[in-house]
Amino acid sequence: VASQTCRCCFLGLLYQEYRDKSTRQEIETRRLQDSQTDPEESSPSEEAPSEAEPTSTTESKAPPQISLLRNSNSRFNLWQDLPEIRSSGVLSILQPDEIKLQEAMFELVTSEASYYKSLNLLVSHFMENERLKKILHQSEAHILFSNVLDVMAVSERFLLDLEQRVEENIVISDVCDIVYQHTVNHFSVYITYVSNQTYQERAYKQLLQDKPAFRELISQLELDPKCKGLSFSSFLILPFQRITRLKLLVQNILKKVEEKSDRETTALDAHKELETVVKACNEGVRKMSRTEQMISIQKKLEFKIKSVPIISHSRWLLKQGELQQMNGPKTSRTLRTKKLFREIYLFLFNDLLVICRQIPGDKYQVFDSAPRGLLRVEELEDQGQSLANVFILRLLENADDREASYMLKASSQSEMKRWMISLAPNRRTKFVSFTSRLVDCPQIQCVHPYVAQQPDELSLELADVLNILDKTDDGWIFGERLHDQERGWFPSSMGEEILNPKIRAQNLKECFRVHKSDDSQRRKLGSRNRQ
């Protein structure tokens, strides 16, 4: 396949469009599989990579690159649709599994071309705009665009190597070895860019607020037809979206390569390195916001007990909020609700619980604390309306080196469960024991993206698949995402439950295969919450 074919026929779509179509197709494919008795029945649709839209046999004979260049709404290219592949006769020789693998590798190449096009537009249309250069101070431009030129240069070099591989033979030998080399040697530029995200978002909001000329120009630039209705901010977040998506594309290849083969080894190696980069990106984003948050909390605390130093490089906030504490001994449960409870405020960190009462001036007076590892929780059931959503919190060793118990009431069932899981993360949940992965856990796939609003929540992308670890009657799910084992709460309305047990088993099997190179990680799936 000629390099020119590669460069041209895949650049009809901006990366944002590709990503949206790709994930929505993934959702529809999974819905189809879930509705069938045998997952194998859906295999014909799997021959297309996730970005492909359903096509008829007649349609697939048309030269795809022509329609794609002229119509951004047309279907994506498939490897098997390329004229060179059609005319070679290779489709009649290759096994169906190999064709699926070819499509998965081909998608990685085509999506990188689409991503490069979007990066190029970010630079040429926005960053290098002469009017914008005059409006922005050099330091503002640096915060806004960071090292995007380095990121684009890395993408171009990566794409050239991928295209060269496609040129070598109409049947692609491998792409994960190239992914591995570039991840190890060049992808650190992504960590630099993504770590700047908090500053970038803040600077962008400030510029929109403080500089009307900036706001007006960005609006004008966004209206240009070449942006296809996409916002400036959607271009700024491209690198983080791409490095995450690249890991998923390698996972997709890994699921399709033959076991114990050289291609499996290179896919596992590439995936491991990408995972390292993605984790470093996540940590970079969290580090600054966590530090600022800890400083802010420290300023609000006044200690009635012996002072505990709050700020630490290894400490971060997991959850904070108000609960109602029951007054007096447990025998006073029969008292009226208004006499029974008083407000307290909890700050839960990854290694420490601080119990306070709010005082005037937006301050909190600390009257007890305990290491997080010395907390135990117990739910009260069938205790009547006044004691609904009540649980017992035990501090095995509190600030006075004694055991202490608190009977606490939450505002809702979901809030109670969220506190209980945050306070004692290793307790058994409704659907699965945290020490056993053998249970057929309910699963859900995300059909609406969700942005976490609280530290104990999980942001979701379209087509994410999660194990359901717990759920509440008022519409919240505690889930664990399969591809990275991140855990957190999200509204149940964001997803659709996967009902077919064979599909659930297949999803778990693929998950374990992807992570089999790191046995220790598999044993503690999800032990590190995203918080």
Side-chain angles (χ1 to χ4, degrees):
V1 182
S3 177
Q4 189 176 356
T5 305
C6 248
R7 252 183 211 285
C8 296
C9 70
F10 312 128
L11 294 186
L13 290 158
L14 292 174
Y15 186 70
Q16 296 96 313
E17 297 174 293
Y18 146 73
R19 193 167 170 270
D20 184 59
K21 285 176 179 281
S22 171
T23 49
R24 292 195 183 281
Q25 177 60 24
E26 202 173 325
I27 288 169
E28 291 305 320
T29 301
R30 203 172 282 123
R31 279 174 177 160
L32 177 64
Q33 290 175 331
D34 196 30
S35 67
Q36 293 169 340
T37 310
D38 187 352
E40 293 302 315
E41 290 177 23
S42 61
S43 59
S45 65
E46 288 175 357
E47 289 182 11
S50 58
E51 55 184 346
E53 293 180 357
T55 60
S56 68
T57 310
T58 311
E59 285 177 324
S60 65
K61 291 178 181 177
Q65 62 266 42
I66 297 172
S67 63
L68 194 60
L69 274 171
R70 293 179 183 173
N71 180 11
S72 65
N73 294 319
S74 67
R75 59 186 173 77
F76 284 75
N77 278 64
L78 300 181
W79 173 80
Q80 59 192 297
D81 281 341
L82 289 174
E84 294 85 348
I85 304 303
R86 289 260 172 215
S87 60
S88 70
V90 73
L91 292 174
S92 61
I93 301 169
L94 294 178
Q95 295 295 317
D97 285 350
E98 180 61 34
I99 293 175
K100 292 177 191 175
L101 175 57
Q102 290 294 312
E103 296 290 11
M105 293 191 289
F106 192 64
E107 182 185 1
L108 191 145
V109 181
T110 61
S111 61
E112 187 66 28
S114 176
Y115 166 63
Y116 179 74
K117 176 179 180 178
S118 288
L119 277 183
N120 200 26
L121 192 58
L122 171 61
V123 171
S124 62
H125 186 60
F126 292 99
M127 180 180 171
E128 293 178 349
N129 181 276
E130 291 302 324
R131 286 172 62 197
L132 191 61
K133 285 181 180 178
K134 290 175 183 175
I135 293 170
L136 294 179
H137 187 273
Q138 191 175 352
S139 61
E140 293 171 331
H142 178 69
I143 294 171
L144 205 54
F145 295 103
S146 189
N147 64 327
V148 71
L149 291 176
D150 295 336
V151 174
M152 190 168 78
V154 163
S155 174
E156 183 175 27
R157 191 183 302 131
F158 182 41
L159 182 57
L160 284 169
D161 283 354
L162 290 170
E163 287 179 349
Q164 187 177 345
R165 177 61 57 83
V166 174
E167 284 178 12
E168 289 173 2
N169 196 311
I170 56 172
V171 178
I172 305 167
S173 58
D174 197 1
V175 292
C176 288
D177 56 329
I178 298 172
V179 175
Y180 173 80
Q181 291 296 336
H182 281 262
T183 306
V184 170
N185 297 318
H186 307 298
F187 282 6
S188 59
V189 297
Y190 281 96
I191 302 171
T192 305
Y193 186 92
V194 175
S195 297
N196 181 57
Q197 189 175 311
T198 306
Y199 295 99
Q200 185 187 64
E201 288 174 357
R202 187 178 299 168
Y204 181 48
K205 286 177 184 174
Q206 202 67 44
L207 285 166
L208 288 173
Q209 186 179 313
D210 298 345
K211 294 193 173 184
F214 173 81
R215 187 170 61 245
E216 289 166 15
L217 179 57
I218 290 296
S219 295
Q220 287 175 23
L221 293 174
E222 288 175 336
L223 290 172
D224 191 296
K226 67 180 73 167
C227 290
K228 300 185 179 181
L230 295 162
S231 67
F232 174 53
S233 56
S234 79
F235 286 91
L236 288 177
I237 61 170
L238 284 169
F240 185 49
Q241 290 180 333
R242 179 56 184 171
I243 197 69
T244 308
R245 182 71 182 171
L246 198 55
K247 189 186 84 165
L248 297 180
L249 290 169
V250 170
Q251 283 187 7
N252 194 34
I253 292 170
L254 185 51
K255 294 168 188 175
K256 292 173 171 59
V257 293
E258 56 276 28
E259 294 198 43
K260 298 181 181 177
S261 64
D262 290 342
R263 289 195 293 195
E264 184 188 53
T265 302
T266 59
L268 284 168
D269 289 345
H271 182 266
K272 186 177 179 182
E273 292 301 326
L274 280 169
E275 199 154 56
T276 301
V277 172
V278 170
K279 282 179 181 175
C281 286
N282 284 328
E283 283 306 307
V285 170
R286 293 169 186 162
K287 190 174 181 181
M288 191 195 82
S289 57
R290 281 176 175 172
T291 303
E292 289 185 345
Q293 189 177 46
M294 296 301 286
I295 293 170
S296 172
I297 292 171
Q298 171 108 340
K299 289 177 180 176
K300 293 179 179 180
L301 298 183
E302 294 183 0
F303 284 83
K304 189 177 179 181
I305 55 171
K306 183 182 176 183
S307 179
V308 178
I310 295 297
I311 298 172
S312 163
H313 289 301
S314 59
R315 178 175 294 151
W316 60 89
L317 183 72
L318 296 185
K319 190 169 179 62
Q320 69 179 80
E322 188 176 270
L323 290 167
Q324 303 291 316
Q325 180 198 357
M326 176 179 172
N327 286 318
K330 291 185 182 179
T331 51
S332 63
R333 289 181 187 177
T334 54
L335 295 178
R336 295 288 180 188
T337 307
K338 62 181 179 181
K339 297 179 181 177
L340 198 56
F341 296 101
R342 65 181 296 188
E343 295 171 356
I344 64 169
Y345 202 93
L346 271 57
F347 289 95
L348 178 66
F349 304 100
N350 60 309
D351 62 346
L352 176 72
L353 171 68
V354 175
I355 306 177
C356 323
R357 287 195 177 89
Q358 194 159 8
I359 55 177
D362 194 26
K363 298 273 188 179
Y364 298 89
Q365 186 180 65
V366 181
F367 65 87
D368 210 349
S369 66
R372 188 182 179 215
L374 298 179
L375 304 177
R376 301 293 183 267
V377 292
E378 175 192 341
E379 185 175 352
L380 289 183
E381 296 179 359
D382 303 321
Q383 299 292 332
Q385 189 56 43
S386 65
L387 291 175
N389 309 318
V390 172
F391 67 97
I392 304 292
L393 169 64
R394 285 198 299 128
L395 283 54
L396 300 185
E397 188 177 300
N398 73 350
D400 297 323
D401 298 324
R402 299 176 189 169
E403 183 171 326
S405 289
Y406 294 89
M407 185 179 284
L408 303 174
K409 181 180 176 68
S411 59
S412 64
Q413 187 198 37
S414 58
E415 191 62 14
M416 178 190 72
K417 286 203 172 189
R418 286 170 69 162
W419 270 112
M420 290 178 73
I421 284 178
S422 295
L423 289 161
N426 294 321
R427 61 187 293 275
R428 185 183 177 91
T429 65
K430 184 172 182 178
F431 296 110
V432 65
S433 162
F434 280 64
T435 58
S436 171
R437 309 297 303 182
L438 302 177
V439 181
D440 177 25
C441 203
Q443 289 177 3
I444 193 168
Q445 78 160 332
C446 172
V447 295
H448 303 290
Y450 180 69
V451 178
Q453 305 298 310
Q454 300 291 334
D456 65 338
E457 293 179 11
L458 184 63
S459 291
L460 301 178
E461 299 281 358
L462 284 174
D464 279 351
V465 176
L466 304 98
N467 278 336
I468 299 174
L469 303 182
D470 210 336
K471 62 166 66 170
T472 68
D473 296 335
D474 53 353
W476 284 85
I477 287 175
F478 182 60
E480 175 184 89
R481 187 164 44 221
L482 292 189
H483 79 73
D484 61 5
Q485 291 83 56
E486 296 278 0
R487 285 181 175 178
W489 290 90
F490 55 90
S492 56
S493 56
M494 296 299 109
E496 293 175 354
E497 196 159 336
I498 297 172
L499 302 175
N500 191 325
K502 289 187 177 180
I503 298 299
R504 293 199 297 268
Q506 181 179 303
N507 289 339
L508 279 179
K509 182 182 176 184
E510 289 174 349
C511 171
F512 289 145
R513 185 179 179 192
V514 163
H515 293 285
K516 75 176 183 179
S517 62
D518 188 348
D519 240 8
S520 62
Q521 183 181 10
R522 190 172 79 183
R523 280 197 301 272
K524 39 182 189 174
L525 283 174
S527 62
R528 293 188 300 274
N529 197 313
R530 69 174 295 280
Q531 299 145 342

